[in-house]
Amino acid sequence: MLEPGVVALVVATFFIGGFIKGTIGLGLPVVVLVSLTQMLPVSDAVAVFLLPGILSNVWQMTSGPYLPALARRLWPFLLAAIAGIVLGVEVLAGTQFNAAPILLGILLIIYSLYSILAPRLPEPGANESWMAPVAAGTGGMLFAMTGIFIVPGILYLESLRFPRDQFVQALGLVFIVISSTLAVSLARHSLLTWHHLVLSGIALGPVFSGLWLGRRVRHRISEKGFRKVFFIALILVGMHMIWRGIHGGA
């Protein structure tokens, strides 16, 4: 895993992912996972992403006054996500899960179509008590297997109609909890090694450099146009991953 080609891919991938996140506010996990899975198994790519994923969200979780209120409202959601992650890691550790590229491709297509079409999901209302754990538990399992929590976890959070600043802080809280849980679960099953941690450490410089540069150029490009091209590209990548998985590609 520490071969020069892998290290170079990690540096380039995290810089580009950080740049895209800094420019349009999202995209870091999918860019990293899609790129790294060209050379590494999905489980290794997820493990390498953990440290940058945790540290890049610390400021987001703490930048605002809403953390206590969010913790009170979202604790069932967070507990269900933790349970889903633990179960998902058990599946990874106990079986040869070969469908991860196909599953990741499907999630990329769903996520991209949702982002392009921007449908407004209905608020859960009185159904929140059961919808929250279902969405979080399912999202947690998918997160453990593919590194993607967006479908249906983040889509459910969007339906809660938090004000923008509160929603951003909620995302930080959720990603800190799920990333930390995944790190502990992978380590417990020896699926998180010192090689992963070294690559994660190497990735910190490029990802924060990319974030800084992306924020600098955010107002100099068309964010709307950039987002559209980005998600169309993700759909094509998702289709390729499904095709590769079905035909037994690496």
Side-chain angles (χ1 to χ4, degrees), residues 7 21 31 60 67-68 100 125 207 239:
V7 174
K21 180 176 174 62
V31 169
Q60 192 167 320
L67 188 57
V207 75
M239 293 170 65

Side-chain angles (χ1 to χ4, degrees), residues 1 38 47 106 122 138 149 172 187 192 196 207 239:
M1 284 187 64
Q38 305 308 305
I106 292 171
T138 305
F149 187 73
L192 179 64
H196 298 125
V207 75
M239 293 170 65

Side-chain angles (χ1 to χ4, degrees), residues 6-249:
V6 175
V7 174
L9 178 64
V10 166
V11 171
T13 293
F14 276 90
F15 177 79
I16 294 170
F19 175 79
I20 291 174
K21 180 176 174 62
T23 303
I24 62 177
L26 48 84
L28 177 59
V30 292
V31 169
V32 168
L33 293 169
V34 165
S35 301
L36 292 187
T37 51
Q38 305 308 305
M39 291 184 67
L40 300 174
V42 174
S43 57
D44 286 335
V46 172
V48 171
F49 178 74
L50 286 175
L51 189 57
I54 291 172
L55 294 181
S56 64
N57 282 287
V58 169
W59 70 270
Q60 192 167 320
M61 182 184 73
T62 56
S63 60
Y66 306 108
L67 188 57
L70 288 170
R72 285 193 298 270
R73 181 170 183 180
L74 295 179
W75 70 263
F77 181 91
L78 296 173
L79 285 180
I82 291 171
I85 290 168
V86 171
L87 181 58
V89 172
E90 291 289 339
V91 172
L92 280 179
T95 64
Q96 189 70 23
F97 186 68
N98 296 320
I102 297 175
L103 186 57
L104 179 56
I106 292 171
L107 293 177
L108 288 178
I109 292 172
I110 294 173
Y111 169 47
S112 301
L113 288 174
Y114 173 84
S115 299
I116 291 173
L117 299 175
R120 190 166 177 81
L121 298 178
E123 295 184 58
N127 297 315
E128 183 172 344
S129 60
W130 65 266
M131 287 183 66
V134 169
T138 305
M141 285 193 65
L142 295 174
F143 181 65
M145 296 176 181
T146 67
I148 299 294
F149 187 73
I150 297 164
V151 181
I154 300 305
L155 301 187
Y156 169 80
L157 288 179
E158 288 184 346
S159 74
L160 297 180
R161 305 287 194 272
F162 286 131
R164 179 175 175 81
D165 290 344
Q166 195 170 355
F167 179 67
V168 168
Q169 195 168 2
L171 290 180
L173 170 63
V174 168
F175 278 115
I176 290 290
V177 170
I178 64 175
S179 298
S180 301
T181 301
L182 184 57
V184 172
S185 297
L186 291 175
R188 192 166 68 88
H189 288 281
S190 301
L191 298 174
L192 179 64
T193 69
W194 70 270
H195 298 91
H196 298 125
L197 295 177
V198 169
L199 285 175
S200 276
I202 292 172
L204 291 176
V207 75
F208 283 104
S209 298
L211 282 168
W212 176 83
L213 183 62
R215 289 168 185 160
R216 294 271 296 183
V217 304
R218 176 181 294 175
H219 303 296
R220 301 182 184 180
I221 64 175
S222 169
E223 181 177 336
K224 184 177 180 181
F226 193 95
R227 284 174 62 97
K228 188 172 182 179
V229 171
F230 173 68
F231 287 118
I232 290 174
L234 280 186
I235 291 173
L236 296 176
V237 169
M239 293 170 65
H240 172 69
M241 295 188 75
I242 294 170
W243 180 89
R244 190 181 69 181
I246 292 174
H247 289 83

